[in-house]
Amino acid sequence: QLQLQESGPGLLKPSETLSLTCTVSGGSITSDHWTWIRQPAGKELEWIGRMYTGGNTNYNPSLKSRVTMSLDTSKNQFSLNLSSVTAADTAVYYCARGPYPHYFDHWGQGTLVTVSS
Amino acid sequence: ETVLTQSPGTLSLSPGERATLSCRASQSVSSTYVAWYQRKPGQAPRLLIYGASRRARGIPDRFSGSGSGRDFTLTISRLEPEDFAVYYCQQYGGSRDLTFGGGTKVEIK
């Protein structure tokens, strides 16, 4: 059974770079769509971006200038970097998989990232 | 960006009752690209419906989805105790347009 697990620092200072990793077990990341989604407390789920076949990426236009995603097929992991964080980036961050770009059938449990000085 | 508005914000019902959740899009969305998720506290979101009306693997048939254009509906025919949760709709409008609704909480009356 496919499982996803997010990991990374839970506390950052403003202007730092958020770096999260999603470790995938029970399946390979060499196909399908691998996505990051976040949810600030009391707010809506927000799609951050996706990686798919060949290392291609699509990012949310509102975050594009600060987001980088990458795949490490040797470790079966995919990663999110979000630069120049502010308090507005405080959220629960989820990684998810979709067989297609338009829905997600497997999700991680989520990891809380707090940005505070 | 396509904005999804879910209503009501909270639905208070008893087990055995029917739940009808609404999701309205700010512009027309292809039904192929509408999904619904369930989330319980401390758990990962769970895919219920994709393609507006197709149940995901393992989802009981008391869950059904319908709709087209701007209006989509998730129906739970008879609420079971484990169905009390928050439900989200989601649309895909292209490689840079993927949004979620604000959620409907289904709580025990």
Side-chain angles (χ1 to χ4, degrees):
Chain A
Q1 181 179 351
L2 192 70
Q3 292 188 318
L4 288 73
Q5 179 65 59
E6 306 89 349
S7 60
L11 180 63
L12 292 171
K13 289 183 167 50
S15 80
E16 292 184 332
T17 294
L18 179 158
S19 295
L20 295 176
T21 297
C22 182
T23 300
V24 178
S25 57
S28 172
I29 65 168
T30 57
S31 60
D32 300 321
H33 297 254
W34 303 94
T35 295
W36 288 96
I37 293 161
R38 70 180 184 179
Q39 186 170 32
K43 297 188 177 182
E44 296 179 0
L45 290 158
E46 179 180 35
W47 173 73
I48 300 171
R50 79 170 64 83
M51 292 203 71
Y52 57 103
T53 307
N56 295 297
T57 55
N58 295 129
Y59 299 140
N60 187 322
S62 68
L63 297 169
K64 183 179 180 180
S65 63
R66 298 194 290 132
V67 171
T68 305
M69 294 183 183
S70 60
L71 285 172
D72 186 337
T73 55
S74 67
K75 296 181 180 179
N76 226 37
Q77 295 176 334
F78 68 108
S79 300
L80 166 69
N81 280 351
L82 180 67
S83 64
S84 305
V85 297
T86 70
D89 295 310
T90 294
V92 175
Y93 286 74
Y94 296 96
C95 58
R97 183 211 87 144
Y100 304 101
H102 53 279
Y103 66 88
F104 314 107
D105 59 356
H106 289 85
W107 295 64
Q109 292 285 340
T111 186
L112 175 62
V113 177
T114 301
V115 179
S116 175
S117 55
Chain B
E1 176 182 279
T2 304
V3 176
L4 298 180
T5 302
Q6 290 189 242
S7 60
T10 301
L11 200 51
S12 297
L13 295 168
S14 301
E17 290 193 293
R18 181 184 188 89
T20 302
L21 288 65
S22 174
C23 177
R24 170 163 283 191
S26 59
Q27 57 189 323
S28 185
V29 178
S30 168
S31 59
T32 300
Y33 300 137
V34 173
W36 290 89
Y37 302 87
Q38 174 194 68
R39 192 174 70 186
K40 298 179 183 178
Q43 295 187 18
R46 176 192 183 196
L47 176 68
L48 299 174
I49 300 286
Y50 65 96
S53 61
R54 299 187 173 198
R55 272 188 299 277
R57 185 176 300 177
I59 301 303
D61 60 8
R62 63 180 182 273
F63 289 92
S64 63
S66 63
S68 63
R70 294 177 57 202
D71 293 304
F72 297 88
T73 301
L74 175 70
T75 302
I76 310 171
S77 59
R78 289 177 57 86
L79 283 164
E80 298 287 341
E82 61 268 27
D83 299 337
F84 291 92
V86 181
Y87 293 84
Y88 296 93
C89 59
Q90 173 243 308
Q91 69 83 34
Y92 172 80
S95 63
R96 294 169 181 79
D97 179 15
L98 191 153
T99 54
F100 294 85
T104 291
K105 181 180 181 180
V106 178
E107 65 176 22
I108 299 175
K109 186 174 182 180

